[in-house]
Amino acid sequence: MIIIMKDNASKQDISAVEKRLSEFGFQTHPIFGEKKTVIGAIGDKRQISMNEILLMSGVENVVPIMRPYKLASKELKQEKSVIDVGHGVTIGGKKLAVFAGPCAIESREHFLKMARLVKEAGANILRGGAFKPRTSPYAFGGLEDEGLKIMREAADELSMPACTEVMDTRDVELVAKYADIIQIGARNMQNFKLLREVGKINKPVFLKRGLASTIEEWLMAAEYIMSEGNDNVILCERGIRTYETSTRNTFDVSAIPVTQELTHLPIIGDPSHAAGNYKYVPAIAKAAIAAGADGLMIEVHDCPECAASDGPQSLKPDKFAALMQELGKIAEVIGKEI
Ligand code: PEP
Ligand code: MN
């Protein structure tokens, strides 16, 4: 439920309400707005006297949260979350976030080259996998620790935040040491232990939608992370499985406005993993921005035919640069910038 405090509620009023709620076993989550403070309270409603809370000093109203996800819900927080990912980059505001880089970090030389090229084209966040979830156990699984170090070196050289995936609870601490943003891949969207683990760290989490997950399941996954105290969750629509086989997945463009109606969390579109084919990436990228996405994640590789993973869907650097120019025009129309 949500405890809405009066405009003139004092700090003491707020902490007294929080204290009483925690005595009833509730986890409290204050949100300090410009004028008003609201307190999200997560727990068993049957244990509490709503009236008692309503009568406390500084309390204006107590309302239940109807959605199954609470902290992620717009019922709790109407104002959009703007997430600071470091190096002066925020996600969820007027400026679009563009994550770009190869699917996997293949070598130091290659990643540095790709990182410089995507930055030059206008990307503001680096991406690259060091731990790769591969369908085949015989496929390249990533450079792991070495890959993380390469990513950090490139990110520091270019003063850009970097995003990389973690697949195992045992690697969370290690990945968090090197990355600015921790990615939870589509295949792990419902790995609840992993979600809880990244909920305990102090780094933004990039949560990809599961291959066959509903929007509600996806938001429940975000709730797992937030329930552990990490509010900095960025959602990513990366295509879902449908009966259509001409693309790798089907990009669910409607997920962008629907999600924005349900949650305050920012949402990024990933046309690369949706399309599975570089030819369709620009059109899907433009559709995602036109639909209101807060940014994009795009795979870029200078030699797609020799890429260690996801070559067929990777844009060559010149195509990526051309797309960035076109996206600038769309951004302008919808009051955003790139
Ligand atoms: C990736 O970003 O390279 C990746 C594996 O993505 P997804 O989890 O969406 O398949
Ligand atoms: Mn990939």
Side-chain angles (χ1 to χ4, degrees), residues 158-180:
L158 299 167
S159 191
M160 285 168 90
C163 175
T164 197
E165 179 166 353
V166 66
M167 298 199 298
D168 192 311
T169 51
R170 291 167 294 188
D171 297 323
V172 169
E173 213 183 316
L174 174 74
V175 175
K177 189 173 145 201
Y178 291 99
D180 300 286

Side-chain angles (χ1 to χ4, degrees), residues 102-104 127 132 208 248 273 299 309-310 313:
C103 178
R127 69 141 286 142
K132 294 302 307 171
K208 289 198 154 193
R248 184 178 179 184
H273 292 88
E299 287 186 338
S309 70
D310 287 349
Q313 68 198 31

